[in-house]
Amino acid sequence: MTTASARRPTIKDVAERAGVSKSLVSLVLRDSPRVSDERRKRVLEVVEEMGYELNLAARSLATRDNGTIGVLVSDMHNPWAFDVADAARTVLEEAGHTVLFSAVTAPGRGVDQSILQAFRDLRVAGLLVVGTVPDKAPFNRAVSGGAVVFAGGGPDYIDTADVVRSDDTLGMSMVVEHLIAQGHENIAHLGGLGGSVGRARVDGYSAAMEEHGLARHIHIVDADFFQESGYIAAQRALGSSRSRHQRPTALACINDLAALGAMTAADERGVEVAITGYDNIALGAMPRLGLTTVDPDSSGIGVAGAKTLLQRIQDRDFGGGFVHQAIVPELVIRKSSLLGL
């Protein structure tokens, strides 16, 4: 049989031992000025003696802004998202907030409404959404007052929400410029899917190809942010129906995971082709892979997103409008793009 001393103490237990009402204990825990110093001291002494801890759900019922912030990641399979989220977590925790992480999209089902309902029930102070999501409205509904910042996603919401992101168009154009400088003309882009980020990277690829008079070589093979998608797209781009002179000599991939899939496809076919990625995940830096990529400054995105969210929580009219910050990326050149033609 479980004894009263073995179980976790409740607010009722604290009230009984302190000789006060449950509502007064609640006022003390909320640091209400309506409690006398004598009673406050007595309640806090009992709280310490009993080891009472107020859980987040209970605290959220007592206050609309409870200091808890949700960090929601759209793609739990992409290491890039964790780089952004971890940098944001550090800033938010240093500011005194409790940070809760969760995936927010379910394969084939879009935004997971049950996750947003859980954060709504907790009455979180704000949400940082990492990555691309199909619709911002559900996130705004999950937070009273709309303290929501989108970090690392595309430019879809720049006129209607706070957005901190990489300049994806610039980043992909830098990739193409580099490949052209290596002597490539027949450069295919594996991408285009994955929402506004995918579209922005297509725009960068196409603009750079056209600027260098290579519009006739523009070749976009559908791919999204997953390794399998990059593998399938590379198989198509390097298909046996293409002669050696027709097939691309370089593959500019939508992200690093797709590039890893493309590397596998090229190896299986025994084809030498320059391959580039985007996101600069740690795996791509391994000497055996040596993946040329774009560093979007993931940590910088996370830090800027967290700071913007903190300012929005403090002042809902912060900036007099919505914040749009496009962080300049950097090209990281490794051996995967330095193949001889």
Side-chain angles (χ1 to χ4, degrees):
M1 179 179 295
T2 303
T3 64
S5 60
R7 65 180 173 80
R8 184 174 180 176
T10 66
I11 194 170
K12 180 180 178 182
D13 297 328
V14 173
E16 289 178 351
R17 181 174 295 190
V20 298
S21 66
K22 291 192 297 182
S23 60
L24 189 139
V25 174
S26 179
L27 287 173
V28 171
L29 295 174
R30 289 159 52 191
D31 198 25
S32 171
R34 295 162 53 191
V35 183
S36 69
D37 290 342
E38 182 179 350
R39 284 191 165 186
R40 185 188 307 279
K41 180 180 178 182
R42 174 58 183 156
V43 169
L44 291 177
E45 286 175 348
V46 172
V47 165
E48 184 173 355
E49 289 171 6
M50 300 185 72
Y52 174 76
E53 295 180 0
L54 181 63
N55 65 50
L56 292 176
R59 186 170 66 184
S60 70
L61 295 175
T63 175
R64 186 171 294 275
D65 183 357
N66 66 9
T68 302
I69 289 176
V71 176
L72 304 179
V73 179
S74 67
D75 181 6
M76 298 290 277
H77 297 89
N78 195 334
W80 162 85
F82 287 99
D83 291 340
V84 175
D86 189 53
R89 174 193 59 80
T90 299
V91 173
L92 296 172
E93 288 183 348
E94 287 178 350
H97 291 273
T98 299
V99 181
L100 299 181
F101 285 91
S102 179
V104 72
T105 55
R109 294 189 287 118
V111 175
D112 190 333
Q113 297 296 332
S114 65
I115 295 296
L116 292 183
Q117 183 61 52
F119 280 94
R120 186 181 299 115
D121 291 344
L122 284 172
R123 295 181 182 176
V124 294
L127 292 177
L128 183 71
V129 184
V130 179
T132 301
V133 291
D135 182 12
K136 71 180 182 65
F139 300 93
N140 287 335
R141 290 195 295 268
V143 181
S144 177
V148 181
V149 174
F150 296 87
D156 282 359
Y157 309 138
I158 59 175
D159 295 327
T160 57
D162 295 323
V163 176
V164 180
R165 64 184 184 90
S166 169
D167 190 334
D168 296 290
T169 302
L170 173 62
M172 190 55 71
S173 69
M174 293 165 65
V175 165
V176 176
E177 295 276 354
H178 164 67
L179 291 171
I180 292 173
Q182 297 303 306
H184 296 279
E185 293 186 348
N186 197 346
I187 304 167
H189 176 58
L190 311 188
L193 304 180
S196 55
V197 170
R199 293 192 298 272
R201 293 180 187 177
V202 165
D203 290 344
Y205 161 77
S206 300
M209 292 289 282
E210 291 174 358
E211 183 178 343
H212 287 271
L214 299 176
R216 67 189 183 282
H217 290 301
I218 289 178
H219 182 205
I220 300 168
V221 185
D222 285 348
D224 57 24
F225 302 108
F226 296 94
Q227 188 167 342
E228 181 182 5
S229 180
Y231 174 84
I232 293 172
Q235 290 278 24
R236 291 175 57 195
L238 303 173
S240 57
S241 61
R242 289 174 167 268
S243 71
R244 182 176 183 280
H245 298 292
Q246 289 176 316
R247 71 184 179 216
T249 61
L251 303 176
C253 302
I254 186 174
N255 75 341
D256 289 351
L257 293 182
L260 296 180
M263 285 180 164
T264 300
D267 286 345
E268 289 181 355
R269 289 183 173 273
V271 175
E272 272 205 351
V273 59
I275 296 176
T276 64
Y278 199 117
D279 287 341
N280 197 27
I281 64 174
L283 182 61
M286 294 178 62
R288 185 174 179 180
L289 298 175
L291 179 62
T292 291
T293 186
V294 175
D295 184 352
D297 190 5
S298 303
S299 295
I301 291 172
V303 168
K307 288 182 176 179
T308 300
L309 181 59
L310 291 172
Q311 289 173 313
R312 184 62 72 187
I313 292 170
Q314 184 177 359
D315 178 6
R316 296 303 169 95
D317 295 322
F318 159 65
F322 293 108
V323 174
H324 173 217
Q325 186 173 349
I327 294 179
V328 176
E330 179 181 349
L331 184 66
V332 179
I333 300 173
R334 301 190 182 107
K335 68 178 183 180
S336 72
S337 63
L338 302 178
L339 301 178
L341 291 177

